[in-house]
Amino acid sequence: MESVVYLHLHNTNNTHCKVRLNKNKKNKLTHNRVFFAKTLIRKPISCCCLSSAPSLDYHSTNHTTLLVESYHEHQALNALIQRLNKKVSCPLQILQHDGDWTKDHFWAVIRFLKNSSRSRQIPQVFDMWKNIEKSRINEFNYQKIIGMLCEEGLMEEAVRAFQEMEGFALKPSLEIYNSIIHGYSKIGKFNEALLFLNEMKEMNLSPQSDTYDGLIQAYGKYKMYDEIDMCLKMMKLDGCSPDHITYNLLIQEFACAGLLKRMEGTYKSILTKRMHLRSSTMVAILDAYMNFGMLDKMEKFYKRLLNSRTPLKEDLVRKLAEVYIKNYMFSRLDDLGDDLASRIGRTELVWCLRLLSHACLLSHRGIDSVVREMESAKVRWNVTTANIILLAYLKMKDFKHLRVLLSELPTRHVNPDIVTIGILYDARRVGFDGTGALEMWRRIGFLSKTVEINTDPLVLAVYGKGHFLRYCEEVYSSLEPYSREKKRWTYQNLIDLVKKHNGKNLDGTFQITRTVQNLVGMF
């Protein structure tokens, strides 16, 4: 039977190799050259003329060989990492057993040790590996090793490697000095960092702006803002002008510290010098204005951020929303939702913001408009959507729509949470008959489920927790730790507990006597 690929070898005066494809099965040969390579590997053929066979394309064979070598290299590397990944593995013993590692294998081992919190083993492995082949004792290898050790905060090991390097008559580079200066700075050892900075100058290596940037960032981390000024003066004395990275870094550090005058002064400087303003810097400035509640400046800078290509991240949008909520600027929530939608699409947060905006303004028409948009976009409701609308109806005392929506939750495939329960019981306090909803929940088994809170935190930021949730916290916190943890808390358990301690049917006024921990962390 003729195979798809037939390799015919014959020994004549003109020895050569032939590859013949079955014409009838040619279209079925869909696998790539790796398959052909593996076929050759399974049946090793000693043929000195394979590389020059007229029927084989030279470049195809060469490419196949590279793929085979790459495949075996990958397999060998995986096997090495698996051995290292064992609990009692010792990289020194593995290296001794293997005899040597290639450059790629060695650096893969070093990265593995770093990522698996075994960085202290790096110097020993490097010592053993470099001693196998003396040409490995070079500036490049030391630079990488010292850089890794400094990143991990292993400064004693880094300095030991630095001294060892000098013992081999290798000249430390600017990058090596920067690594050590930044490494000491990150752990707050500024005296040692400055010693290496001075030594660097004595070696006729001029510090660059990134040398000082690491110091500035570390000073900011330790809130040493006077030292930042000293660092800037030192830069100028050394003839090193701050670049756009330095200015952006200064703005971020001043913004984080709440030093608004210095932040704004540096911001004006960067504009005057026509330097690039980083997206992270713009976010830092906006964040500073939000923290201080400076609405005019916040709005102005937010518009500038929108006009730039800076991505709008959800945590930033949430913080802006909280500022608007705190200052009763509910209409801006709808604008914020539109801004976010234009950047990342209509996410759950977008619908949350837009619904909250109209719900806070008690606008039936606005809520209905957003709901129609959601239906048009075929967006499935979640519990946040339902609770926002329910809370709006409760605020309006629109019991008719409140009752209808509660009955529709199962058909909309919305699973209520503890906030939904709280809305129902708070509504009962003001005259709403929630018996039907409770019976429905009991019938479908919802009340026997474990207590959850899945409503977006922005909803609670707007409406607060309500009487029921606050009383739940009060009662739950009054229990002994053993009683809290001894069983799985269901909605029915919680309702019964509150009834027992309140002495009422949850329809009366609750007496709240002290602040307790957030409901999210309770269950």
Side-chain angles (χ1 to χ4, degrees), residues 63-261:
H63 180 62
T64 301
T65 304
L66 290 174
L67 286 173
V68 174
E69 290 176 354
S70 177
Y71 171 77
H72 284 297
E73 177 74 10
H74 182 69
Q75 291 292 96
L77 183 56
N78 275 346
L80 175 58
I81 297 301
Q82 287 175 8
R83 284 188 288 162
L84 285 166
N85 208 22
K86 294 179 180 178
K87 290 183 179 180
V88 293
S89 69
C90 174
L92 296 176
Q93 290 180 357
I94 294 174
L95 176 55
Q96 186 176 21
H97 176 270
D98 292 349
D100 196 5
W101 290 329
T102 64
K103 179 180 67 175
D104 291 339
H105 281 201
F106 168 73
W107 289 114
V109 169
I110 295 300
R111 286 192 298 272
F112 173 83
L113 294 175
K114 179 185 175 185
N115 295 331
S116 56
S117 303
R118 295 166 65 180
S119 297
R120 292 190 181 277
Q121 295 178 332
I122 290 177
Q124 295 173 317
V125 175
F126 176 57
D127 285 343
M128 187 173 182
W129 181 75
K130 70 176 173 41
N131 289 332
I132 295 173
E133 174 58 58
K134 297 302 181 182
S135 64
R136 295 167 180 170
I137 301 173
N138 56 56
E139 181 187 316
F140 174 79
N141 287 336
Y142 271 102
Q143 181 175 306
K144 288 188 71 173
I145 291 294
I146 291 172
M148 281 189 179
L149 293 172
C150 290
E151 285 176 10
E152 296 298 297
L154 301 175
M155 297 312 300
E156 288 185 13
E157 291 83 351
V159 171
R160 195 178 299 120
F162 177 87
Q163 293 169 344
E164 183 183 273
M165 179 185 181
E166 290 183 317
F168 287 117
L170 296 173
K171 185 178 179 181
S173 63
L174 173 66
E175 288 76 12
I176 290 175
Y177 273 106
N178 281 350
S179 293
I180 294 177
I181 292 168
H182 297 164
Y184 272 127
S185 300
K186 285 178 183 177
I187 60 176
K189 294 188 175 183
F190 293 102
N191 290 335
E192 289 84 349
L194 294 176
L195 282 174
F196 274 91
L197 179 62
N198 292 330
E199 181 182 316
M200 178 182 177
K201 296 175 186 177
E202 292 172 1
M203 297 290 293
N204 294 321
L205 284 173
S206 300
Q208 303 297 313
S209 58
D210 59 334
T211 307
Y212 291 103
D213 291 344
L215 278 168
I216 290 171
Q217 194 167 21
Y219 282 136
K221 175 184 175 182
Y222 290 95
K223 304 186 186 304
M224 301 169 67
Y225 301 106
D226 291 336
E227 283 75 5
I228 289 179
D229 291 335
M230 177 199 72
C231 197
L232 289 171
K233 292 176 182 177
M234 194 186 306
M235 284 184 75
K236 294 176 182 178
L237 289 174
D238 291 337
C240 179
S241 299
D243 58 11
H244 74 280
I245 297 176
T246 307
Y247 277 104
N248 276 275
L249 187 59
L250 287 169
I251 292 172
Q252 291 178 30
E253 294 300 335
F254 292 147
C256 184
L259 302 172
L260 298 188
K261 287 186 178 180

Side-chain angles (χ1 to χ4, degrees), residues 333-381:
L333 295 178
D334 194 32
D335 299 332
L336 192 58
D338 286 337
D339 294 338
L340 184 60
S342 66
R343 296 296 184 90
I344 64 172
R346 295 188 288 184
T347 62
E348 288 185 355
L349 179 58
V350 169
W351 296 116
C352 173
L353 290 168
R354 297 195 59 203
L355 275 174
L356 271 178
S357 175
H358 297 291
C360 292
L361 296 171
L362 302 180
S363 171
H364 250 302
R365 182 178 298 178
I367 292 172
D368 293 341
S369 173
V370 175
V371 168
R372 284 194 298 272
E373 284 187 51
M374 293 178 71
E375 290 173 350
S376 176
K378 297 182 179 180
V379 176
R380 183 174 175 177
W381 281 29

Side-chain angles (χ1 to χ4, degrees), residues 250-461:
L250 287 169
I251 292 172
Q252 291 178 30
E253 294 300 335
F254 292 147
C256 184
L259 302 172
L260 298 188
K261 287 186 178 180
R262 295 172 76 172
M263 177 193 79
E264 291 172 342
T266 312
Y267 172 65
K268 288 178 182 177
S269 297
I270 206 172
L271 293 181
T272 302
K273 296 177 183 293
R274 298 182 179 276
M275 291 180 170
H276 172 66
L277 189 67
R278 287 180 166 180
S279 297
S280 56
T281 305
M282 297 180 71
V283 171
I285 295 173
L286 179 60
D287 194 56
Y289 287 141
M290 285 192 291
N291 289 336
F292 283 88
M294 303 174 74
L295 297 179
D296 291 339
K297 290 185 176 181
M298 181 192 82
E299 289 273 88
K300 181 180 177 181
F301 216 84
Y302 173 61
K303 289 177 182 177
R304 172 163 187 179
L305 187 142
L306 280 179
N307 293 330
S308 70
R309 295 182 179 180
T310 304
L312 276 181
K313 294 185 178 180
E314 284 202 358
D315 56 346
L316 176 66
V317 172
R318 287 182 178 279
K319 194 164 185 178
L320 276 165
E322 289 173 0
V323 174
Y324 288 138
I325 291 167
K326 186 178 179 180
N327 289 276
Y328 304 101
M329 300 169 68
F330 302 125
S331 62
R332 291 292 289 119
L333 295 178
D334 194 32
D335 299 332
L336 192 58
D338 286 337
D339 294 338
L340 184 60
S342 66
R343 296 296 184 90
I344 64 172
R346 295 188 288 184
T347 62
E348 288 185 355
L349 179 58
V350 169
W351 296 116
C352 173
L353 290 168
R354 297 195 59 203
L355 275 174
L356 271 178
S357 175
H358 297 291
C360 292
L361 296 171
L362 302 180
S363 171
H364 250 302
R365 182 178 298 178
I367 292 172
D368 293 341
S369 173
V370 175
V371 168
R372 284 194 298 272
E373 284 187 51
M374 293 178 71
E375 290 173 350
S376 176
K378 297 182 179 180
V379 176
R380 183 174 175 177
W381 281 29
N382 56 25
V383 70
T384 295
T385 303
N387 285 341
I388 291 172
I389 300 173
L390 287 171
L391 283 163
Y393 290 156
L394 177 57
K395 285 288 182 181
M396 299 176 194
K397 292 189 177 180
D398 185 348
F399 293 162
K400 177 182 176 181
H401 284 92
L402 181 65
R403 183 176 294 104
V404 170
L405 183 51
L406 284 170
S407 66
E408 289 180 350
L409 293 184
T411 59
R412 290 185 178 274
H413 305 288
V414 174
N415 294 317
D417 65 356
I418 189 63
V419 176
T420 319
I421 297 286
I423 294 169
L424 176 63
Y425 276 105
D426 285 353
R428 292 181 67 179
R429 294 180 63 253
V430 293
F432 176 70
D433 182 6
T435 305
L438 278 174
E439 289 302 321
M440 176 187 66
W441 288 340
R442 191 172 286 112
R443 187 173 61 255
I444 64 177
F446 165 68
L447 296 181
S448 62
K449 292 184 177 181
T450 303
V451 173
E452 292 181 335
I453 179 164
N454 298 318
T455 303
D456 194 292
L458 287 175
V459 178
L460 297 180

